[in-house]
Amino acid sequence: MKKGFTLIELISVIILLGVVSLIAYPIINNSLKGSKQKAYDNQVASIIDLSKRWGVDHVDLLPVGTAEKIITFDDLIKGGYITKTDKGIINPLTDKPMTGCVIVSYSNEYNQYLYRYDEACKINKYVEADLNGNDPVLDNGLIPVMYKDNKWVVAGPSDTWYNYTSKQWANAIIVNANKKAEYIAGKPVVEADVLAYMVWVPRYEYKVGTKEQAIDIKFTTSPTATSGYIMHPAFTFDNKQQKGLWVGKFETTGTAENPTIKPNNVSLTSQNVSAQFNTAQKFNTYGLTNADSHMMKNTEW
């Protein structure tokens, strides 16, 4: 006679299977999560490596100073570094398209460019504004500042420190080299530390209006002027088209050997053209690394 399982035996087996599944599920689940995380990490590493290749091929577009540069998937696709797919670049963790970007910044400490992937694609606002590509380029020696609570303070990455639509111009300062490390976001500007106050003039074209003294100005990235407009000649320097110029907010002050650009100071006068030329170039020794300080020509006014 064939014996079957008793009810108690069946219940025991079911309980045992339940216990085994309770033990196995977290292990399998963690293993799957671990493999997905590894796939994600490998994918991000590949995206960063491709972005570095993009950076090598586009050195002139990499940031200076405290600015940051975004490299998007579109940039990598247009450059032929990755192949476009209908579904986009899929995130192994979510099985949805990745929406981030690679953000490039320059490290003075390591003397090299740093690349990081950011799924939220949050960029330093030093380069995010309303000038359609003519936003101020911050040299390592320039510190962005804004007027806040009746005083000048250092602008931080989360601050909108300029908005040309609202007539809020970008301002920056140059300070004594031994004080520069102290000038972190939010620090009030100490007048004694300042060597120069500068303002960014974006590339623009202009047209004289029909009304008396009315001038129509348009910010532009084009190398040539729109029909009916005139491109200001100041933005062609050293046979290159410039995005804009940092210009002294005040007349040159101080001395011929140690010039400054500060308010409420006696202007530096009684210099011939040669002396003025040499004085202007002294600003290149004030910690600027990519600037070409020079005396403004008549065509640059």
Side-chain angles (χ1 to χ4, degrees):
M1 180 176 175
K2 213 171 187 182
K3 292 181 66 177
F5 291 104
T6 66
L7 181 60
I8 293 175
E9 287 173 330
L10 286 172
I11 293 173
S12 298
V13 171
I14 292 171
I15 292 173
L16 180 60
L17 289 174
V19 171
V20 170
S21 65
L22 286 174
I23 296 172
Y25 176 76
I27 296 174
I28 295 171
N29 188 49
N30 289 337
S31 178
L32 289 173
K33 285 183 178 179
S35 62
K36 285 187 175 184
Q37 184 63 53
K38 186 174 182 180
Y40 175 83
D41 293 341
N42 289 339
Q43 186 152 295
V44 167
S46 296
I47 292 170
I48 290 176
D49 285 340
L50 293 171
S51 297
K52 288 180 179 179
R53 286 176 52 190
W54 185 96
V56 170
D57 296 336
H58 300 83
V59 174
D60 57 321
L61 298 179
L62 293 180
V64 295
T66 52
E68 292 179 341
K69 167 67 180 176
I70 280 182
I71 301 176
T72 65
F73 290 126
D74 283 342
D75 292 327
L76 297 178
I77 291 170
K78 290 176 183 177
Y81 302 94
I82 59 176
T83 303
K84 183 178 180 179
T85 64
D86 293 335
K87 294 183 179 180
I89 309 301
I90 300 301
N91 185 333
L93 294 175
T94 62
D95 293 326
K96 296 179 180 180
M98 298 180 78
T99 58
C101 65
V102 172
I103 301 177
V104 189
S105 59
Y106 186 78
S107 170
N108 287 319
E109 181 180 357
Y110 298 106
N111 194 31
Q112 65 180 6
Y113 287 103
L114 303 179
Y115 291 71
R116 61 184 173 86
Y117 179 77
D118 188 340
E119 189 66 36
C121 206
K122 292 181 179 179
I123 187 171
N124 181 328
K125 286 192 175 180
Y126 290 155
V127 294
E128 181 184 315
D130 57 349
L131 293 178
N132 299 320
N134 285 350
D135 302 285
V137 178
L138 276 170
D139 185 278
N140 286 325
L142 288 170
I143 300 169
V145 295
M146 59 184 184
Y147 202 67
K148 183 178 181 181
D149 298 330
N150 296 318
K151 60 180 178 293
W152 287 100
V153 299
V154 178
S158 61
D159 293 316
T160 302
W161 60 289
Y162 64 93
N163 187 318
Y164 282 70
T165 302
S166 300
K167 299 181 181 179
Q168 179 186 351
W169 289 53
N171 291 278
I173 58 173
I174 302 173
V175 300
N176 285 298
N178 61 342
K179 294 288 186 177
K180 189 172 186 299
E182 300 176 13
Y183 276 78
I184 60 176
K187 175 182 170 59
V189 173
V190 179
E191 184 66 28
D193 296 341
V194 179
L195 296 174
Y197 287 91
M198 312 296 290
V199 62
W200 176 258
V201 180
R203 183 182 184 86
Y204 69 87
E205 57 185 5
Y206 68 95
K207 177 175 65 174
V208 177
T210 55
K211 296 180 181 180
E212 184 179 359
Q213 296 182 337
I215 300 176
D216 180 18
I217 292 177
K218 291 198 309 182
F219 297 127
T220 178
T221 57
S222 173
T224 56
T226 305
S227 177
Y229 283 78
I230 300 171
M231 184 67 67
H232 198 290
F235 302 109
T236 302
F237 181 75
D238 195 23
N239 295 320
K240 297 178 181 178
Q241 302 301 316
Q242 307 296 322
K243 295 171 59 175
L245 302 170
W246 283 107
V247 180
K249 284 178 68 73
F250 311 100
E251 293 182 351
T252 303
T253 51
T255 66
E257 289 301 313
N258 298 288
T260 56
I261 301 175
K262 302 181 70 168
N264 305 317
N265 279 246
V266 177
S267 301
L268 183 59
T269 57
S270 301
Q271 285 188 305
N272 58 33
V273 173
S274 177
Q276 289 180 24
F277 179 86
N278 291 329
T279 297
Q281 291 197 317
K282 296 288 184 182
F283 288 96
N284 288 325
T285 67
Y286 289 172
L288 301 176
T289 56
N290 293 289
D292 186 349
S293 180
H294 63 278
M295 179 179 67
M296 293 187 74
K297 306 185 293 291
N298 287 340
T299 56
E300 291 180 307
W301 281 98

